[in-house]
Every structure is written in C-alpha cells, then in structure tokens.
Amino acid sequence: MTSSNPWETERNKIIGLSDNSVRKSYFPELQKNYKNAKEKEENLSAILNSVLDGIFIHDFEGRIFDVNDAVCRMYKIRREEALLLNIKDFSVKPFSDLKTLWDKIGTEKSLIFEWKALRPLDKTQFEVEVSLQKANWFGKPAVIDVVRDINDQKLLQEQLLQSQKMDVVGQLAGGIAHDFNNMLTGILGNAEMINLLCKTESSIKGYAENILKISRRAGELTSKLLAFSRKGKLMSIALDVHEIIQSSVAILERSIDKKITIKTCLQAKKSCITGDPALLENVILNLGINARDAMPQGGQLTLSTQNLSFSESSKLLNLKILEPGEYLYIEISDTGCGIPKELLSKIFEPFFTTKETGKGTGLGLAAVYGSVKDHKGAIDVYSEEGIGTVFKIYLPLEKNTAPSEKIKEEAIEKGKGRILVIDDEAFLRKVISDLLSSLGYEVLLAEGGKKGIEIYSFEKDTINLVLLDMVMPEMNGKETFLKLKEINPDVKVIFSSGFNKEGRAEELLALGAKGIIPKPYRLNELSRIIKKNL
Amino acid sequence: MNPAEPLNLEMRKIVAPEFIFGLDARRLALRYIKNLSLEKVFIASDKGTLEAGWTKEILKLLRESSVPHELFLDISPNPRDHEVMKGAALYQKTGCDSILAIGGGSVIDCAKGVGIVVSNGANILEYKGIDKIAYPMPPLICIPTTGGTSADVSQFAIINDCKRKVKIAIISKSVVPDVALIDPLVLTSMDAYLTACTGIDALVHSIEAYVSNASSVITDLYALESIKLIHACLIPCIKDLKNVDLRGKIMLASLYAGLAFSNASLGCVHAMAHSLGGYLDLPHGECNAMLLPFVVEYNYESAAFKYEDIARIFGLALENLSIPERKNLFSETLLKFKNAAGITASLKEKGIKKEDIPLLAEKALNDPCTITNPRKPTFEDLKNIYLRSL
C-alpha cells in the first residue's frame, strides 16, 4: 500500500511554491455587489420619481424615511423639508386617525380610502385617494403611502352631478311650462279678442291691454323656464355673437348706472355660431344685469371673447361636458362683491336668488344655463368675494361663417282661406278660432289627431292650412302630421307648441312642416306665419 | 543558525496572525471586537473552559459593553465534523459576523471549521488537504487556554471525520486566525496531566517542525527555542502549577512551536496520533507523547544532524557515540522525559490491540503530515512503529 498524497506537489503547497492557489479575495465580489446595490438603488429612485402619484415611506410613528418627486410637486414642498416633518403634518385629520389606519394594515394587506391632504407650508387642503401598504424599509417596519390627487376629479364629479340635477329640474320645469303656456295662450287670445272688439278707447280696452301686458310678462317667465329646461323655441340660424354682444351692451349702457364702466374686448377672429339670437341676447343681458346688481357702488363690467380649441385631453371634455372642436369663449366679468363659495353650486338652480323678494325671480341664471346648454355649449363661474365674478361661456363655432338676416316684427296681417285647427284644449280651440276669424279666415276645429285626420280626409280640397298642436293625447302632433301627409303629401301644416318634447323645430321642418309657432303667441305672429304660408 | 554556514535560500512562505503575548492579553478581546466593528460574535468554547471561569469572564465583559453574542459549547476534545456543521448553522441562523474561540486546540479547531463553512459553504470534510479554501473566513479571535496546541497561530485545523473514524487535516492560509490573544495566566487553571499532555504536544510540534523536510532557518529558530523552553520548564511547571513565570515560558514555547510547525508542517508522530484520535478518540497530546520516541527512532538517520541539535538541548553528550547509539540514547531520553511529565501509559494500556494496527497504519499513511516527515514512510513502517509503541 502506498500513500495517496502526491508527495512533492503537496510539500510545495505547504512551503508556498505551488503554481496556483485557490485563495480568493472577497473584494472584487464586494465591489460588484456594492455596484449592483447602488444601481438597484438608483433604478428604484428613478422608478419612484417617475410615478405621478405621491409616495411617502414612513414608520409607524409617522417619521418619514423618504418621499418621491410627486410628493414635492403635489404638496409644494422640497424633499429636504419633507424629510424633516412627520406624516401627520401632511394630513388635515389628527395623528390618532392615522394611527387607527396603520393598525388596520397589520391585519389587512392594503388599504384604500379617500382623505383630506394638507400642504404643510401654505396650509391649503385638497382631496386625495390613499393606498397604504406594510413594508420593510432596510430592516425597519414601514408604511408605504401612495397618494393620488383627486381634487379636480371631485370638482368635475360635482359639476356633473349638478348638471344632472339641473336636467331633472329642467324636466319638471318643462312640464309645468307647457300647461302654463297653453293657459296663457288662452288668456292672451281672449284679451286680444276683447281688444279687437273694443274699437274705441274705453275702460274695457284698458283692462284688456293690462291683461295683454301681464300675460306677456307671464309668457316671458315661462319662456325663461322653458329656456332653462331647454325645451323652448330654438331658432337655429347662423349668427354673429359679436353683434349680439354689441347690441346687448348698447341696451345695458342705457339701463345701468353710469358709475359702472362697460368694457369690451372682442378678440375672437371667428364669432359665428348656430343658434337663437333672442336667447343669446337674454344670456348677455341677464349676466350684465347680475353684474350691475353686484356693483352698487360702481365698478367695471368686461365682456371679452376669444377662440379656443378643445382636444381630447381637456378636462371639460372628460365628463362629456363639451365635444372636441373649435369654440367661441365669452368671458363676462365684474368687479363686484363676488359670490360666496358655498353658493356657487346653486346659482344656476331655478328660483334660487339672493335678491330681496320681488326684486328677482331666480330664473335669470337658470335661463342662461339652459340657453347655453341648448347651444351645445358650457358655462362655468369663478368668483372671489370682495373681488368679483367671472362667467365663462363656451359656444361651438359655426362652420359656415356668414350670419343670417335678423327676424323683424310684423303688423297684424289679415287674409282669406280655410284653416283646420287641431288642439285638444277646448278653451284654446275657442280662442284661436275667434282670433283667426278676426283675421278673416274660415275655421274648422278638431279636438284631437284622429278627429283632425277624419275632417281633413273629407275636406282636404277646401282646407288651405292646418294649425296643429304638438302635444296631444292619443295621437301627438307629429304622428297626426305624418298621417295628414299620407292623405295629401303637399298638406300645409303649422305646428303650435307650448313644449318642444315631441320633436325639435329642425326635424319637423325637415319632414315638411311649413313653420312652428310657439305658445303663447301674439296675434301678429300668428297672422304673419299664416299669411306667409297660404 | 551559524552565520559561518551557507544559508539555504530556497523560497519559503511564512504565515502568522497578529498576536498579543502577555498577562491579561485575553481581556483585549473586547477592544478587538469594537475596533473591527463586529456586530454579533459567535463564541466557541467548551464546558471545561466555562467551568474554569475564563469563558465567563469574557462573557461578562461583552455583556457589560452590550456586545451581542451567541454561545456555542457543543465541542468535544477531538472536534467532530457534525459539531462544526452544527456550529455553522447556529452562526448563520443567529446572524453572527465574527468568531471568538476561547479554549484549547479542540475549541479553536472547531471554531476554524465553523469559519470555513460559513464563508465557503459545503461540508467541512470537503476542505481536507492543503490550500482548498477559496474565501477568507469571518474575523476569528482566539484566546488559547492550553499551552501546547498552538492552533491560535497555525494554518492547521484538525477535524474528526466521524463516519470514517479518521482525523482530517485542513491546511491553508485562510485558516490562520486574525488575532491570537496569548495570555499565560489562563494556563494556571490546567491540572498536572493536562499540562503534561499539552506541553509534550508543544514539544512534538517543535521537534517535528525542526526535522521536517519543509523546515527553514526561520522555522528552525522558533523550533529550537521552543524545545529549550519546554525542556527546561515543563517538569518544573507540572510541579508548580500556579507559577505564572513557568506558565509564561511554556506558553511562549507553545507559541514558538506553533509558528514553527505552522510553516514547516509536521511528521509521522502527528500522522499516527491523528489516526489514533480519529479511530479511538484518544487525547491528542497523550498520543503524541506515546508515539514520539518510536518515530524518532524510525526517522533518526534521515535527520541525524537535526536530532543531534535537539539532543544537545536535552543535555546529551553525543561526541563519541555512533549514530545508532545516539539514536537509542536520544529516544530513551525522550521516553524518560515523557514519563517524568507523568505520561506513562502505552498504547496497549490505552486499549489498542494488534488487530487495530493495520487500519491505523492505513489512515496514518494518508495523513498529510507524513508528507513532511524526514523519512518517507511505508505502510509497513507505520505498522511497525505502532507495534513498537504498544
């Protein structure tokens, strides 16, 4: 037996003469590990700072280990300053509330909730959504706090809610307005008849005039209500908003205190939109009058315009308040007393007013809101108490830039012919019949769609025009119209409406209607539209 | 060496730790722990050292300075491989970053084993041999409590392979401790027999290092000085156990012997003692003492001049004697010295039988200590030496 040791080589190893030694140093590996660790730390830092949400890492006593760049932007604080503070300095609610939450993350893996954040330096507050997670930060138990600013989101949600609320109120208002308009038509019609029959000046004529005046005002009220509910007459013609603003300013200059200076700055190069000039004039006038009321000691009212383009990323587009496209931006601002923050969300509500009883109906801004919405626009308000208020209106531009001609008032026009009146309200049938007769026309009456069609089918050759109510039970105006067209494709129909639910003006005109006269209407309006179409 | 004689300039590697020699050196353990910024110390010791009070004293120092530590006492006189692995597992589990060994050669060798495993992984037995350890171990501070083992300064670690019943030698620069705190005072708790065994162990270290075929002028210096001190002081020390001066000289001798053999390696005495220790778990120093005279007899002619230097230290007049006569005289002198120290038993009395010898010889033949024996032994040679030692 011999030794398994290779004698010479082993001896050489002992005395240090072997060629190779397996001995290594840890240093190269340590350096590599250090370099890797440093790179990992840099990568982690880059990732943390690229995240748009704020990230706090702190211990269970609130001592902050680290924050990312988003925290500095959100809370308007430098990193060095943030690291000296406690997490409770970033919260409106007290430390005990925070502790309660941290205790929960022991049992639950993570926690998500809404919170009120505080900027430690300027003490402003904002809404956030927070996600908490337990962690181990270099050997110490820690909490990772991811904070998302939801302030804008909450504001937009509130706006949407408000908009939805207004829709509901609008529906209600529209319903009331319809019935009211029908009655007003009756009142006006009867008053007109009294006026017509009283040829000489008498006290009866005077009373009839009063009824007419007051009924007209009542009609304006319902039209405002309908405007707010977006169910009113909507004329759709191309118009120049700058002309509307200038004519409105001319009216305002005559009617408001000289202590208030009116300034216009109409910078928009494109100012043509599709819409209703009367409604828009009301918008400008309403806002102007409100501004006047906010400046009893005088001040400045500024009306300015500019063109804006909204792309997909706009906040106003996020909740579908506006579609992408080109807009005319109208700004109406005053240097008045301002509107308290808690009232800002209510100002567009119908019947909401801060004026004394009798001084305001509370429908002005509601009508403004409705009118703007009806023009597929949006309205926003910004106000600071003691400084002033700014109304911001966005209206989509008309692609065809030429405004159409203005509508002018006409005198009463008499005529000859046979008119079929179809209306479900008996008192309206009576008064319309009397009015038409006073104009010289022969009148046939039908109490509903079915009766109207029956009469027309027998008398179509002698009937020159049909005056058709829009809203009727059993068979509405549109359905009746289509049936009449089946009997005679060239039938001349004028719709009268107290409520535009059953079909917009354009649709009916496109179907072949000759015109639309909204209730309550004046005799001259009625006479003109009939004359024009016979 | 004689300056007139030509100097052997063959290259030699010398390894040694930082060491502090002197009274109360042991108490510097705390300073080293703090200076090295050690966060948690793995303390290897045994029940004997604990009972002697040395371990408790150091533990008290650490507790007073709030130094986190983990105590490991499961170490046998011939440290087992599984004890090393158990220690390594505890080291890692408790998050230690350094080792403090307080005890004799067994404790220090086990501590070295733990250090090898925690930094290089795998089983301790895989590191058997020379230069098999790649990575340095964690900081290792040794406080030797016996005067003989010299494990506190050597590049050797001897571990028992329990399955194969053999002691393996791990030899590497990586095994050299970082710091040795060599304090003679700790020897005062050793009894006479232990003093004798460890003293003879130191003597064998120095003799084998001196006659090793890897010896050098540097190691020879330490070997001879060690032999001088042991020859002069061991027997008086055994008789006056509390004599700090004598303890100091024995401790110094052990240090010198360690520096010598660590760098010149050993010979057949240790190879055969390792075999006995692994197979029958006999105390190492005792085995060395029992085998020394017979190995010297076997080796004499191969290193006659060197053995004569040692014989002169022992006060022997060899001028008019033949080599065989010198050999006999020297080996008998060693026998008497061993007996005077109180180690009188033979291998037979320790339970070794003739039938055990072939297996013992086989294991000894494969021990790396045979590589540097002045005479290359055969299987038969080793069997004969065992037979003569019975």
Side-chain angles (χ1 to χ4, degrees):
Chain A
M1 189 181 299
T2 53
S3 166
S4 61
N5 292 312
W7 194 272
E8 266 314 302
T9 47
E10 295 299 276
R11 178 182 171 273
N12 283 345
K13 278 185 193 173
I14 288 173
I15 63 174
L17 298 184
S18 63
D19 288 327
N20 298 310
S21 169
V22 303
R23 276 198 286 124
K24 294 174 197 185
S25 166
Y26 270 133
F27 194 70
E29 241 177 74
L30 272 171
Q31 272 198 314
K32 202 166 79 173
N33 289 344
Y34 176 73
K35 200 170 150 220
N36 284 344
K38 212 116 174 73
E39 253 178 55
K40 273 187 186 157
E41 206 186 311
E42 281 164 5
N43 288 342
L44 177 66
S45 195
I47 291 167
L48 282 179
N49 288 323
S50 69
V51 171
L52 295 175
D53 294 332
I55 300 175
F56 291 89
I57 303 147
H58 59 86
D59 67 9
F60 283 83
E61 295 303 316
R63 285 182 287 251
I64 296 174
F65 293 136
D66 207 354
V67 298
N68 69 345
D69 289 352
V71 161
C72 301
R73 285 195 299 272
M74 249 194 251
Y75 289 82
K76 299 191 177 132
I77 190 169
R78 290 201 325 265
R79 187 173 172 272
E80 311 81 72
E81 291 169 318
L83 294 179
L84 295 172
L85 299 174
N86 189 291
I87 196 71
K88 71 176 196 290
D89 299 321
F90 295 85
S91 165
V92 170
K93 288 193 183 169
F95 187 67
S96 50
D97 286 16
L98 289 167
K99 274 240 137 193
T100 311
L101 286 165
W102 297 339
D103 289 337
K104 277 194 196 160
I105 59 170
T107 48
E108 292 163 48
K109 213 178 160 183
S110 65
L111 221 58
I112 299 176
F113 51 90
E114 288 184 9
W115 201 252
K116 247 194 157 47
L118 178 73
R119 294 192 180 93
L121 300 180
D122 64 16
K123 303 295 177 202
T124 53
Q125 300 177 7
F126 59 105
E127 301 284 333
V128 292
E129 188 180 62
V130 179
S131 152
L132 290 186
Q133 187 112 293
K134 226 168 57 155
N136 199 301
W137 193 254
F138 298 106
K140 295 179 194 150
V143 180
I144 297 179
D145 234 302
V146 181
V147 175
R148 180 168 293 177
D149 186 345
I150 56 168
N151 218 47
D152 288 346
Q153 189 184 310
K154 280 213 155 292
L155 284 172
L156 285 170
Q157 277 173 349
E158 270 174 34
Q159 275 186 335
L160 179 64
L161 255 154
Q162 189 64 14
S163 177
Q164 287 168 340
K165 201 168 85 178
M166 301 286 260
D167 271 349
V168 170
V169 175
Q171 294 275 6
L172 211 61
I176 296 167
H178 166 257
D179 291 342
F180 210 65
N181 272 346
N182 272 352
M183 289 171 216
L184 275 176
T185 306
I187 295 168
L188 264 171
N190 279 290
E192 298 252 34
M193 286 312 300
I194 296 172
N195 221 2
L196 276 172
L197 292 168
C198 290
K199 294 220 185 296
T200 56
E201 291 298 315
S202 71
S203 51
I204 298 170
K205 206 173 168 76
Y207 287 121
E209 284 289 339
N210 282 343
I211 292 169
L212 281 169
K213 272 188 210 161
I214 296 161
S215 301
R216 251 179 266 137
R217 278 175 58 193
E220 279 165 25
L221 213 64
T222 54
S223 89
K224 278 187 184 171
L225 207 58
L226 281 170
F228 160 69
S229 70
R230 301 184 241 161
K231 304 300 182 280
K233 162 184 88 174
L234 179 73
M235 287 202 85
S236 290
I237 56 165
L239 54 92
D240 184 349
V241 176
H242 282 174
E243 282 179 16
I244 306 274
I245 291 173
Q246 276 152 0
S247 65
S248 304
V249 165
I251 297 169
L252 287 169
E253 273 170 346
R254 287 200 299 276
S255 54
I256 68 176
D257 201 301
K258 293 285 176 280
K259 284 190 282 188
I260 295 170
T261 52
I262 302 178
K263 189 178 155 195
T264 54
C265 182
L266 307 180
Q267 288 180 321
K269 290 201 164 45
K270 299 181 202 170
S271 56
C272 285
I273 67 160
T274 303
D276 187 324
L279 283 183
L280 284 170
E281 191 176 74
N282 272 341
V283 165
I284 308 293
L285 286 174
N286 263 312
L287 293 176
I289 287 161
N290 277 355
R292 173 205 67 189
D293 292 338
M295 296 185 282
Q297 312 300 329
Q300 179 160 294
L301 168 64
T302 310
L303 298 99
S304 60
T305 63
Q306 65 182 87
N307 289 124
L308 287 179
S309 187
F310 285 117
S311 65
E312 295 297 332
S313 60
S314 159
K315 277 180 205 158
L316 286 168
L317 300 177
N318 285 349
L319 283 167
K320 305 221 188 312
I321 291 172
L322 285 179
E323 298 288 314
E326 303 263 322
Y327 282 78
L328 175 68
Y329 171 65
I330 307 165
E331 197 177 272
I332 299 170
S333 63
D334 64 58
T335 55
C337 54
I339 303 166
K341 273 193 169 49
E342 59 272 16
L343 297 182
L344 273 176
S345 60
K346 294 184 185 166
I347 57 168
F348 293 118
E349 284 177 15
F351 307 112
F352 176 83
T353 179
T354 55
K355 293 174 185 166
E356 294 166 31
T357 315
K359 295 272 182 201
T361 57
L363 284 174
L365 284 179
V368 163
Y369 181 91
S371 299
V372 170
K373 281 291 182 195
D374 236 0
H375 285 81
K376 298 199 186 90
I379 182 164
D380 198 4
V381 61
Y382 174 76
S383 185
E384 293 237 19
E385 282 185 87
I387 294 173
T389 302
V390 180
F391 281 92
K392 304 175 186 187
I393 299 169
Y394 306 86
L395 297 172
L397 286 174
E398 162 65 33
K399 292 183 177 53
N400 172 10
T401 54
S404 49
E405 284 180 23
K406 288 200 181 132
I407 314 295
K408 291 189 186 117
E409 284 252 349
E410 301 281 344
I412 296 171
E413 296 206 31
K414 293 190 184 220
K416 268 192 166 16
R418 208 179 204 208
I419 299 171
L420 171 61
V421 174
I422 308 174
D423 196 311
D424 60 309
E425 295 277 10
F427 67 85
L428 280 177
R429 286 198 302 276
K430 170 84 174 75
V431 75
I432 292 168
S433 169
D434 290 345
L435 286 170
L436 288 174
S437 301
S438 74
L439 292 172
Y441 297 104
E442 194 186 330
V443 182
L444 290 173
L445 295 175
E447 66 268 27
K450 264 191 184 158
K451 190 70 181 173
I453 288 161
E454 193 190 308
I455 295 172
Y456 190 78
S457 60
F458 282 118
E459 305 284 345
K460 65 177 184 294
D461 296 326
T462 59
I463 292 172
N464 305 110
L465 188 104
V466 179
L467 184 61
L468 179 50
D469 186 20
M470 193 83 89
V471 178
M472 291 183 293
E474 284 182 29
M475 202 178 191
N476 66 30
K478 183 177 162 189
E479 287 163 354
T480 310
F481 173 55
L482 292 169
K483 283 277 183 225
L484 290 172
K485 275 189 77 103
E486 279 174 26
I487 299 168
N488 174 13
D490 296 323
V491 63
K492 289 180 184 174
V493 172
I494 291 172
F495 282 93
S496 80
S497 173
F499 182 48
N500 204 15
K501 188 182 172 188
E502 299 296 325
R504 288 174 64 83
E506 299 96 343
E507 191 201 345
L508 296 169
L509 292 169
L511 283 170
K514 293 296 174 195
I516 298 151
I517 184 167
K519 293 172 186 170
Y521 43 73
R522 292 298 312 277
L523 186 58
N524 57 5
E525 287 176 318
L526 183 64
S527 69
R528 181 181 56 78
I529 199 168
I530 290 171
K531 185 78 178 187
K532 183 179 161 193
N533 286 292
L534 271 178
Chain B
M1 63 162 292
N2 186 345
E5 283 173 18
L7 181 61
N8 181 356
L9 290 167
E10 189 190 8
M11 284 189 287
R12 280 292 186 275
K13 176 186 80 174
I14 304 291
V15 297
E18 175 181 343
F19 60 82
I20 299 192
F21 181 89
L23 274 178
D24 292 340
R26 73 196 184 282
R27 297 179 70 84
L28 290 178
L30 186 63
R31 185 171 87 176
Y32 275 95
I33 290 163
K34 286 207 176 305
N35 288 352
L36 290 171
S37 302
L38 304 176
E39 294 201 347
K40 191 166 184 184
V41 186
F42 179 85
I43 301 179
S45 192
D46 60 13
K47 291 184 178 70
T49 319
L50 188 75
E51 279 158 14
W54 305 116
T55 313
K56 280 181 190 164
E57 184 192 33
I58 301 299
L59 286 172
K60 185 165 174 265
L61 277 176
L62 297 187
R63 272 195 285 269
E64 279 166 3
S65 298
S66 306
V67 174
H69 54 273
E70 191 66 36
L71 185 61
F72 179 67
L73 296 173
D74 295 342
I75 304 173
S76 321
N78 287 314
R80 323 277 199 240
D81 52 354
H82 57 81
E83 286 165 355
V84 169
M85 299 314 290
K86 187 177 173 186
L90 181 64
Y91 176 102
Q92 281 165 331
K93 187 178 155 194
T94 54
C96 294
D97 65 352
S98 53
I99 305 171
L100 172 60
I102 312 168
S106 313
V107 166
I108 295 173
D109 280 354
C110 187
K112 287 179 176 181
V114 168
I116 292 165
V117 169
V118 301
S119 53
N120 288 266
N123 191 284
I124 186 62
L125 299 175
E126 290 179 43
Y127 299 99
K128 167 192 163 182
I130 306 164
D131 193 23
K132 294 278 172 68
I133 301 163
Y135 288 106
M137 59 170 91
L140 170 62
I141 303 168
C142 295
I143 300 174
T145 57
T146 60
T149 175
S150 317
D152 46 295
V153 299
S154 79
Q155 59 168 325
F156 282 70
I158 309 298
I159 305 293
N160 217 338
D161 179 347
C162 294
K163 203 168 161 189
R164 290 172 45 231
K165 287 193 167 185
V166 70
K167 277 191 171 185
I168 60 146
I170 300 168
I171 305 161
S172 169
K173 162 75 171 81
S174 304
V175 170
V176 176
D178 292 277
V179 181
L181 302 171
I182 308 169
D183 186 345
L185 195 69
V186 304
L187 300 185
T188 53
S189 61
M190 284 203 297
D191 62 27
Y193 195 67
L194 188 58
T195 305
C197 288
T198 52
I200 297 292
D201 190 17
L203 179 66
V204 173
H205 285 154
S206 46
I207 292 173
E208 292 213 289
Y210 191 65
V211 303
S212 161
N213 64 28
S215 66
S216 65
V217 288
I218 301 162
T219 57
D220 288 348
L221 178 71
Y222 289 107
L224 285 178
E225 279 303 305
S226 172
I227 296 166
K228 279 184 202 166
L229 284 164
I230 294 171
H231 171 256
C233 305
L234 182 60
I235 310 297
C237 186
I238 291 166
K239 291 178 180 155
D240 186 4
L241 294 171
K242 295 294 180 196
N243 187 319
V244 176
D245 179 70
L246 287 170
R247 287 296 196 184
K249 284 165 179 165
I250 294 300
M251 197 59 140
L252 187 62
S254 169
L255 168 62
Y256 286 161
L259 292 171
F261 93 78
S262 180
N263 297 290
S265 195
L266 296 159
C268 281
V269 178
H270 271 80
M272 296 169 74
H274 289 158
S275 183
L276 279 169
Y279 188 56
L280 295 165
D281 205 22
L282 294 180
H284 178 66
E286 224 178 333
C287 294
N288 281 343
M290 289 187 282
L291 291 163
L292 178 64
F294 305 101
V295 171
V296 166
E297 265 184 15
Y298 169 76
N299 282 342
Y300 196 90
E301 285 86 349
S302 307
F305 292 115
K306 287 226 156 164
Y307 279 122
E308 281 164 22
D309 290 339
I310 302 170
R312 274 190 274 279
I313 293 172
F314 272 78
L316 298 177
L318 305 170
E319 286 78 24
N320 299 318
L321 299 173
S322 66
I323 291 184
E325 285 167 344
R326 290 177 193 190
K327 176 176 74 177
N328 290 336
L329 179 60
F330 182 51
S331 64
E332 269 179 36
T333 306
L334 288 174
L335 202 62
K336 284 180 190 162
F337 186 79
K338 158 187 95 68
N339 290 338
I343 304 169
T344 53
S346 66
L347 283 185
K348 198 179 197 174
E349 285 159 34
K350 286 292 173 185
I352 306 296
K353 299 182 208 41
K354 227 171 153 180
E355 306 83 76
D356 299 324
I357 287 172
L359 191 60
L360 288 167
E362 184 194 337
K363 291 179 193 299
L365 187 65
N366 291 309
D367 190 295
C369 293
T370 56
I371 295 166
T372 44
N373 196 56
R375 181 178 171 186
K376 192 171 175 183
T378 63
F379 176 63
E380 292 300 322
D381 292 341
L382 293 174
K383 277 202 307 185
N384 288 332
I385 299 169
Y386 274 122
L387 273 167
R388 283 180 60 74
S389 316
L390 273 180

